[in-house]
Amino acid sequence: RCGLAAGRSYSGGGAYPSVSLTCPLPGVPKAVFAAAESRERFETRVTVLENGLRVASQNKFGQFCTVGILVNSGSRHEAKYLSGISHFLEKLAFSSTAQFGSKDEILLTLEKHGGICDCQASRDTIMYAVSADARGLDTVVNLLADVTLQPRLSDEEIEMTRMAIRFELEDLNMRPDPEPLLTEMIHAAAFRDNTVGLNRFCPMENTDKIDRDVLHSYLSSYYTPDRMVLAGVGIEHEHLVECARRYLLGVEPVWGSGQGRAVDRSVAQYTGGIVKVEKDMSDVSLGPTPIPELTHIMIGLESCSFLEDDFIPFAVLNMMMGGGGSFSAGGPGKGMFTRLYLNVLNRHHWMYNATSYHHSYEDTGLLCIHASADPKQVREMVEIITREFILMAGAVGEVELERAKTQLKSMLMMNLESRPVIFEDVGRQVLATNTRKLPHELCDLISQVKPSDIKRVVTKMLHKKPAVAALGDLTDLPTYEHIQAALSSKDGRLPRLYRLFR
């Protein structure tokens, strides 16, 4: 039926007409629905300035924008310097500069445009970012240029940074969540004393050694225009390029324009190995509901660079392994069909955590599994995790693979709903490749992954020595040689694999 019908009584006492949802209303103009614009409108535009600085932007939408400077610099470049410089630079970011007398002055300037700022340092990138009203773009780019190239680095600020880093290092060793510490340990084991294996956090013994001269020496080598990208999301490209020319072209840095030391262009060398830290974990979380004493193991194998074609199959494999903790916010059920949930957490009630991680860089990568259990169960836990690595090379079901690919595409698109995430994606891709793959291109690549691709990348990965990080009571931890022998076994020899640990 179309049109109005007999009234229907509701508990509220009123009578409302029943209106059809399938027929147009009489006398109402035909609806014009919004449609997605062409993909070209969403392409990332890149302009290279005369000094080598790259300016990248995503199309304008909304009132606010996210703009920042990404520098090809991080802890992996500190081989010729004191370890911990990137950690210092992260903490010193958005402090006093040539134009701004203090951090408070910077925050007050941003406040006029509803802005917030942040700096994050990783192994291969340092990122200075601001989110603010798009009408304040000139102010934002001027501020970013000043923060990046004209920091004062006063003695007082450096001393405050030393205190903050010391506190962070103490907290890192005391916190109940050991994941940041284990991530450092697994990288140190996988790439011993080189590139991405260098410590991301400043060692305690270096906190007193890093001063303004050390920082300026490092900055003169790595903070050069050809190693930077000015990225923006939510602004017009021409306006961003104009601001870049005004504030970042021909600017003399505070450390001078003289040549610093030669830039470290070392390629990551995967070594494999083990890093063990014996630690009493019985009192990491005291209180009415303390976390039980756990031993944490992380086992990893070299994967590939994010520039290689195999990066997508590895990303699908990581999603297929999935996993998580025994307890999670929102209750159980998330990722319940992943292998680490089905084969590990659901079958072994004593396992508190089994999670897969994939770290990828410009020249290498690392796929690892983090597991946690009672110290008395360590031997069996290692056996179970090594078995999961071996079983990766086995048969991959079509339903399992399709679910992992769908979940990966869903996660990708959901993350790209956030403007700061789009900004980081634009900046990192342009910094590494001078261009950007759009989401629909990545989704097409994910859709093309076949079971044979998963088997191929796993077989290549299993030929490498494992990297192992172990934290807690390690009395029952199998030797590194046993773990290595287990992972070098072929799937036809799985029954003998289990006896290695008996």
Side-chain angles (χ1 to χ4, degrees):
R1 275 181 315 150
C2 298
L4 300 178
R8 181 184 298 170
S9 267
Y10 291 86
S11 57
Y16 295 90
S18 175
V19 179
S20 169
L21 299 179
T22 58
C23 298
L25 292 174
V28 175
K30 186 178 178 181
V32 179
F33 296 101
E37 299 186 45
S38 62
R39 284 174 175 170
E40 289 72 23
R41 289 288 307 272
F42 299 97
E43 288 182 358
T44 301
R45 297 179 62 185
V46 181
T47 299
V48 182
L49 302 188
E50 293 81 349
N51 61 356
L53 176 78
R54 285 157 286 179
V55 181
S57 74
Q58 193 70 33
N59 225 53
K60 178 176 172 60
F61 60 92
Q63 183 180 347
F64 280 79
C65 66
T66 299
V67 183
I69 292 177
L70 293 90
V71 189
N72 185 6
S73 158
S75 57
R76 70 169 295 161
H77 300 107
E78 293 172 1
K80 299 177 181 177
Y81 295 86
L82 285 169
S83 179
I85 291 176
S86 299
H87 196 184
F88 262 77
L89 291 173
E90 179 185 44
K91 298 294 180 191
L92 284 163
F94 295 100
S95 296
S96 62
T97 68
Q99 291 184 48
F100 301 93
S102 67
K103 183 183 283 265
D104 289 341
E105 197 174 321
I106 288 175
L107 296 177
L108 284 170
T109 302
L110 287 175
E111 196 175 296
K112 294 174 185 175
H113 301 283
I116 56 172
C117 60
D118 186 31
C119 176
Q120 294 179 11
S122 62
R123 288 185 154 75
D124 51 4
T125 310
I126 294 182
M127 179 175 65
Y128 301 82
V130 171
S131 287
D133 191 304
R135 291 171 294 186
L137 183 63
D138 274 61
T139 304
V140 167
V141 176
N142 179 27
L143 170 63
L144 284 166
D146 218 40
V147 163
T148 310
L149 300 175
Q150 304 284 336
R152 285 185 183 172
L153 305 178
S154 68
D155 293 338
E156 182 184 357
E157 288 168 345
I158 292 174
E159 188 55 43
M160 291 293 288
T161 299
R162 286 196 185 105
M163 292 171 62
I165 287 175
R166 289 189 193 114
F167 174 80
E168 188 174 342
L169 293 175
E170 290 173 8
D171 178 64
L172 192 66
N173 289 304
M174 293 169 60
R175 61 193 295 178
D177 174 25
E179 190 186 317
L181 196 57
L182 279 166
T183 301
E184 291 305 304
M185 291 166 63
I186 195 73
H187 279 82
F191 306 93
R192 191 171 292 276
D193 298 327
N194 76 89
T195 56
V196 294
L198 300 177
N199 202 329
R200 193 169 67 84
F201 298 103
C202 179
M204 189 66 81
E205 63 271 17
N206 285 358
T207 54
D208 288 324
K209 298 176 184 175
I210 295 176
D211 55 20
R212 189 190 297 109
D213 291 340
V214 172
L215 294 171
H216 278 182
S217 173
Y218 179 86
L219 291 166
S220 65
S221 292
Y222 290 98
Y223 276 46
T224 54
D226 59 301
R227 299 178 65 85
M228 293 181 179
V229 169
L230 174 66
V233 175
I235 35 81
E236 296 292 349
H237 185 73
E238 291 76 13
H239 191 184
L240 186 62
V241 171
E242 180 189 332
C243 292
R245 290 186 182 279
R246 187 178 305 141
Y247 300 114
L248 286 160
L249 195 60
V251 176
E252 177 80 10
V254 71
W255 49 84
S257 56
Q259 279 297 106
R261 301 189 200 183
V263 170
D264 183 6
R265 303 189 187 278
S266 303
V267 176
Q269 302 297 315
Y270 181 83
T271 61
I274 186 167
V275 173
K276 299 189 290 185
V277 176
E278 289 269 2
K279 186 178 177 184
D280 180 11
M281 306 285 282
S282 59
D283 59 351
V284 292
S285 177
L286 302 175
T289 55
I291 295 175
E293 180 182 0
L294 299 174
T295 294
H296 301 272
I297 305 293
M298 198 176 271
I299 299 176
L301 291 164
E302 187 180 22
S303 58
C304 73
S305 155
F306 58 69
L307 299 177
E308 296 179 45
D309 293 338
D310 283 344
F311 172 69
I312 299 294
F314 269 116
V316 174
L317 172 65
N318 179 57
M319 187 61 67
M320 194 169 71
M321 297 307 296
S326 298
F327 303 96
S328 61
K334 300 195 295 274
M336 59 190 287
F337 291 106
T338 63
R339 287 193 178 186
L340 292 180
Y341 261 114
L342 290 173
N343 302 343
V344 179
L345 292 169
N346 287 352
R347 295 185 182 182
H348 307 283
H349 65 90
W350 44 268
M351 293 270 292
Y352 278 80
N353 183 44
T355 310
S356 175
Y357 296 95
H358 188 213
H359 306 277
S360 197
Y361 305 97
E362 199 169 335
D363 51 359
T364 188
L366 189 65
L367 183 80
C368 46
I369 296 176
H370 169 207
S372 307
D374 186 275
K376 294 175 184 175
Q377 309 281 162
V378 169
R379 185 171 292 271
E380 191 175 354
M381 175 171 66
V382 172
E383 176 182 320
I384 290 165
I385 297 306
T386 53
R387 182 188 67 198
E388 289 304 314
F389 269 109
I390 296 293
L391 291 175
M392 287 180 192
V396 178
E398 283 292 340
V399 174
E400 177 187 36
L401 182 61
E402 286 304 314
R403 181 183 285 115
K405 293 195 293 187
T406 302
Q407 193 174 352
L408 181 59
K409 287 187 278 190
S410 172
M411 188 183 72
L412 171 68
M413 300 309 293
M414 187 172 178
N415 286 339
L416 290 174
E417 288 288 312
S418 167
R419 190 181 60 250
V421 173
I422 300 176
F423 154 75
E424 186 172 347
D425 183 48
V426 169
R428 285 183 180 276
Q429 286 202 51
V430 172
L431 192 64
T433 66
N434 295 321
T435 185
R436 179 185 179 229
K437 278 185 177 156
L438 295 178
H440 72 270
E441 296 177 86
L442 294 172
C443 287
D444 289 344
L445 291 172
I446 293 168
S447 298
Q448 293 166 19
V449 174
K450 301 180 180 64
S452 57
D453 297 322
I454 301 293
K455 189 162 187 174
R456 185 188 73 254
V457 298
V458 171
T459 302
K460 184 171 69 172
M461 181 174 68
L462 288 173
H463 285 142
K464 304 290 180 68
K465 291 171 61 178
V468 181
L471 177 67
D473 181 349
L474 308 179
T475 308
D476 292 332
L477 179 71
T479 65
Y480 177 75
E481 289 71 23
H482 277 158
I483 299 172
Q484 184 178 358
L487 283 171
S488 63
S489 300
K490 303 294 183 285
D491 29 358
R493 293 164 53 190
L494 279 176
R496 196 167 78 81
L497 156 67
Y498 301 146
R499 287 198 292 273
L500 286 170
F501 297 106
R502 302 303 184 199

